[in-house]
Amino acid sequence: MPKFLVNDDGSLGQRNDVLLAGLFHKMGWKGTTSTALNFGDNGECVGYLVGKPHHGLNYMFQMMNEARIGVGLGAAMLGYSGYLYSLEYARERPQGRLPDSKSPDSKPVSIIEHADVRRMLLTQKAYVEGAFDLCLYASRLFDDTQTGESEDDRKHAHELLDLLTPVVKSWPSEFCLKANELAIQVLGGHGYTREYPVEQYYRDNRLNAIHEGTHGIQSLDLLGRKLAQNGGTGLKQLLRLISATCERAQAHQTLDELCQPLQQLVARVQAVTLGLLTDLAQGRITSTLANSALYLKAFGHTVVGWRWLEQAIRAEEGLIGGNQADGDFYRGKLQAARYFLTWEVPGCHHELTILENRDDTCLAMRNDWF
C-alpha cells in the first residue's frame, strides 16, 4: 500500500488515498510511533497483491511465526535488563540488619543479604535465563529448518518449532513481565519512579503479551491446533528429547532432585493432553478449549523446566571439567535450575487438576452475573 502511486515509467504519480488519522498514546514503547491510518476515504486507494492469490493466510502465518519468536526474545531481554539492574542495586543498597543481628552498633547490610530479596532475584534469574534459553533454542530450530543436513532433519526441526512457537511467544511475555515486576519490588519506592529504568522495562514489556497474538490466542493455537498437527509428530519429538535429557541428568547424582519433578510433570501433562485431544476429536471443542490458558502455562513450564535441566547438566559438567574461574557462574545456574524445578514446576499440578476435571467455572459464568 504505497504512499504515492508509481507510473509505468517508474516516476512517482499522484498521492494514494491513505491518510494519517492519528497517533496512539501508549503505556510504553514511547520511542516508536504507532499510528491509525484511513484507507480509501475518497474511494481512490490502490493496493497491490503480494504473492499468489488465495495464499495470504499462509504468508501471514510465516511472517507471524517468525515475529512471535522475536516477541519472545524481546520479552526475555527486557526481563533480563530489569533483573541485572535490580541485582546491581541490591548489591549496592545498604538497608536493615539480618534477623539474628540485634546490636544497634552493627552496620546495615546490602539488601541482597536479606532472604526475601534473594528470593525475588532468584525468581527473576530463573524466569529470564530460562526464557532466554528457550528463545535461543527456537532460533536454532529455525536455522535447522533452512540448513539441516537432510530433508528429514529440516522437516523434524519445522515440526518441533511449530509446536513450540506459541510457548516461545507467550511464556517469556508472561513470566519475564513478572520478573520486571519483581525488579521494581527489589528497588522499593525507587523502582516506582522514573529516575530508575525498571518501571520503563515493565511498561515496555507489557505489550509483548498482547501483540502478535495474545496469551489466550497462543493457548488456543497450542491446544486446538499444534498438538495434533501432523499426527502429533512435534509432541512426540519433544517428549523424546525431554526423556533423553532426563537420562543424561541421572548420570549426575546431584541432579536427581531436579529430574524427578520434571518427570512427574511430563507424565501428568501427557495424560492430560491425551484426554483433551480425545475430547476435541469427539467434538467437545468449546468446553475443552475453555481452560486452554492453564494448559499453556503447564506445557510452557514443562518446556522451560526441560531447558533448565539441560543447563544444569552443562553446569555440572563445567564444575567437573571446566575453568575454576567460572565456578560461581555454574553454581548460579544450578541454583536457578533447582529453584525452577523444585519451586515452580510442582505448582503446575493444580492447573492440570482443573484441566482433568474439565472445570467449567469460567465457562459457566454469564454476562449478566458480572
Side-chain angles (χ1 to χ4, degrees):
M1 194 78 67
K3 181 177 180 179
F4 289 92
L5 301 180
V6 180
N7 297 320
D8 292 339
D9 62 2
S11 62
L12 292 181
Q14 67 182 27
R15 177 76 180 260
N16 202 2
D17 190 9
V18 180
L19 298 175
L20 175 65
L23 302 178
F24 293 114
H25 303 284
K26 301 173 294 184
M27 172 182 176
W29 286 105
K30 296 181 182 294
T32 60
T33 302
S34 298
T35 65
L37 299 176
N38 286 350
F39 300 97
D41 280 356
N42 301 311
E44 297 179 357
C45 184
V46 177
Y48 297 93
L49 179 68
V50 177
K52 298 178 181 179
H54 311 301
H55 285 68
L57 197 60
N58 290 334
Y59 297 149
M60 182 198 71
F61 274 112
Q62 180 180 353
M63 177 274 294
M64 285 190 68
N65 284 337
E66 293 181 31
R68 285 168 176 171
I69 297 173
V71 169
L73 185 58
M77 292 301 93
L78 283 166
Y80 220 140
S81 297
Y83 161 62
L84 293 176
Y85 193 92
S86 63
L87 174 61
E88 181 180 6
Y89 181 92
R91 285 171 169 165
E92 295 178 352
R93 167 71 170 170
Q95 187 172 1
R97 298 173 178 84
L98 297 179
D100 58 358
S101 178
K102 302 297 184 181
S103 172
D105 297 326
S106 60
K107 293 182 178 180
V109 297
S110 298
I111 62 172
I112 199 171
E113 299 298 327
H114 297 297
D116 195 56
V117 173
R118 290 187 177 184
R119 174 191 63 82
M120 291 187 285
L121 291 170
L122 185 55
T123 303
Q124 288 183 71
K125 182 179 177 69
Y127 287 166
V128 303
E129 293 184 3
F132 191 27
D133 183 303
L134 172 66
C135 293
L136 291 179
Y137 183 76
S139 300
R140 193 185 80 182
L141 284 177
F142 180 79
D143 287 346
D144 290 345
T145 65
Q146 310 295 316
T147 62
E149 292 185 2
S150 68
E151 184 177 344
D152 280 347
D153 290 338
R154 294 189 291 273
K155 178 184 176 184
H156 292 158
H158 191 275
E159 290 169 345
L160 185 55
L161 181 60
D162 262 0
L163 173 69
L164 293 180
T165 295
V167 180
V168 176
K169 192 276 178 186
S170 61
W171 199 93
S173 298
E174 179 178 1
F175 288 95
C176 290
L177 183 69
K178 292 181 184 295
N180 287 135
E181 181 181 331
L182 289 170
I184 293 173
Q185 191 70 20
V186 169
L187 269 69
H190 285 163
Y192 195 65
T193 67
R194 292 188 178 180
E195 280 72 23
Y196 295 84
V198 288
E199 61 86 27
Q200 180 186 342
Y201 298 150
Y202 181 91
R203 287 188 289 105
D204 287 350
N205 215 354
R206 188 61 189 85
L207 175 64
N208 288 316
I210 300 171
H211 70 159
E212 300 299 344
T214 64
H215 190 71
I217 293 297
Q218 302 302 323
S219 69
L220 292 173
D221 184 34
L222 175 65
L223 182 55
R225 294 180 63 245
K226 296 297 177 63
L227 288 171
Q229 194 168 266
N230 300 315
T233 52
L235 179 60
K236 293 171 185 175
Q237 274 196 76
L238 176 64
L239 294 174
R240 285 195 297 269
L241 289 168
I242 295 175
S243 178
T245 299
C246 289
E247 287 183 15
R248 288 170 41 233
Q250 288 168 351
H252 302 274
Q253 188 175 0
T254 54
L255 298 184
D256 278 347
E257 177 193 15
L258 309 187
C259 199
Q260 291 177 11
L262 180 61
Q263 289 175 314
Q264 292 167 0
L265 182 60
V266 169
R268 190 93 184 274
V269 166
Q270 280 186 269
V272 171
T273 300
L274 179 60
L276 293 172
L277 291 180
T278 299
D279 284 0
L280 287 173
Q282 294 175 352
R284 293 189 287 272
I285 297 174
T286 299
S287 59
T288 304
L289 295 179
N291 296 321
S292 60
L294 301 185
Y295 183 86
L296 178 58
K297 182 202 169 183
F299 191 88
H301 267 53
T302 303
V303 175
V304 176
W306 164 52
R307 299 313 306 161
W308 264 118
L309 189 58
E310 280 284 349
Q311 291 193 58
I313 293 171
R314 301 295 185 183
E316 276 290 338
E317 293 170 348
L319 286 174
I320 295 170
N323 191 330
Q324 290 186 352
D326 295 327
D328 285 344
F329 171 80
Y330 292 131
R331 292 183 187 95
K333 286 291 187 182
L334 286 169
Q335 199 71 359
R338 178 184 174 191
Y339 171 84
F340 192 82
L341 289 161
T342 63
W343 281 51
E344 292 281 332
V345 162
C348 294
H349 290 282
H350 173 65
E351 282 86 3
L352 292 172
T353 297
I354 292 175
L355 289 161
E356 278 179 333
N357 294 338
R358 308 298 190 268
D359 188 287
D360 69 345
T361 300
C362 297
L363 181 63
M365 186 66 178
R366 294 292 178 262
N367 184 28
D368 293 340
W369 299 351
F370 283 102

